[in-house]
Amino acid sequence: MKINYYLFLLSILFSFYSCSDDPVTINGVRSVKIVNLPADPATSYDPTNGTPIGTKNLFTFFRFSDSTIVPNTDSATAKWDIAFKASTILINSGTSGPGLGAAFVETGLFSDIKEVPVSGIFKTDSTLANLAIGKSWYTYDAAAMVFNPTPGKIFVIKTADNKFVKMEILSYYKDSPIAPNSRTDAPRYYTFRYVYQPSGSTKFE
């Protein structure tokens, strides 16, 4: 009965997000764009201050190798690489999970990062206040109550099984509006692109 319930929840999650196009694989390196990945979205919002209502306080766990949402029942395993809840992002490492994951944020153009920068220092999650992926990836407009990905912030990630990924968040809002409106556009839906190197090489092409 429990298995059927979790499969039902997974089917709901999959109905929200998708790969925008078929993943492209060149020389074994996989390039993917994910659209509308839910990150504990609300059912409604307080119109006066934007406070979310009806959230579940659960992370969405994601695996890069096959673009799969991993069930919450596997949150204490190495089956996932990255997790999202609102604007908080976890890596499967340290206090967040038993995986070999780590990450850092590199400034630059996504296309220009052709391999893991030798100057980068990989970090693991230690506390919710000190995560490998912190808050530098976005700016928050308090007046408009809108989160915007900061241009040029690229995640360089070591997966739970010690492979490498570069990733860029493109939008925090459902269907990626160009100018998000906090009253009409649903937040906590990530659109992002990534390149996954399955061989263990540090090169992304």
Side-chain angles (χ1 to χ4, degrees):
M1 198 70 176
K2 276 188 175 180
I3 293 175
N4 289 336
Y5 174 71
Y6 289 125
L7 288 175
F8 172 71
L9 289 180
L10 276 178
S11 69
I12 292 174
L13 286 172
F14 272 111
S15 70
F16 281 103
Y17 94 99
S18 65
C19 295
S20 65
D21 300 294
D22 290 334
V24 175
T25 302
I26 300 176
N27 296 325
V29 179
R30 192 166 183 263
S31 299
V32 186
K33 182 179 178 182
I34 298 296
V35 176
N36 293 337
L37 184 83
D40 196 29
T43 55
S44 62
Y45 292 84
D46 186 323
T48 60
N49 58 22
T51 301
I53 299 169
T55 58
K56 305 296 185 184
N57 197 33
L58 295 173
F59 279 90
T60 298
F61 298 90
F62 184 84
R63 183 169 54 232
F64 288 115
S65 62
D66 56 3
S67 307
T68 297
I69 287 178
V70 176
N72 285 81
T73 49
D74 287 328
S75 62
T77 74
K79 294 181 179 181
W80 60 277
D81 300 310
I82 192 169
F84 306 85
K85 184 179 72 174
S87 61
T88 299
I89 299 176
L90 305 181
I91 299 296
N92 196 337
S93 67
T95 56
S96 296
L100 301 175
F104 62 89
V105 180
E106 181 77 1
T107 299
L109 296 177
F110 187 78
S111 58
D112 287 347
I113 299 176
K114 301 182 185 303
E115 61 182 309
V116 175
V118 295
S119 59
I121 299 174
F122 280 101
K123 301 177 181 178
T124 58
D125 292 351
S126 56
T127 67
L128 281 177
N130 190 17
L131 299 173
I133 302 295
K135 298 181 179 181
S136 67
W137 68 268
Y138 69 85
T139 55
Y140 179 65
D141 184 335
M145 297 184 293
V146 166
F147 288 84
N148 288 301
T150 303
K153 295 297 183 182
I154 312 302
F155 303 168
V156 180
I157 300 169
K158 187 185 298 183
T159 67
D161 59 350
N162 209 26
K163 304 300 190 294
F164 293 98
V165 171
K166 68 172 181 176
M167 171 183 161
E168 182 179 26
I169 295 176
L170 304 174
S171 180
Y172 183 70
Y173 292 85
K174 192 172 184 181
D175 299 330
S176 303
I178 295 174
N181 184 317
S182 63
R183 296 183 181 276
T184 58
D185 296 311
R188 303 187 177 201
Y189 287 93
Y190 283 81
T191 292
F192 58 92
R193 58 180 172 172
Y194 71 89
V195 173
Y196 170 74
Q197 171 55 274
S199 72
S201 167
T202 59
K203 297 183 182 298
F204 294 122
E205 57 178 33

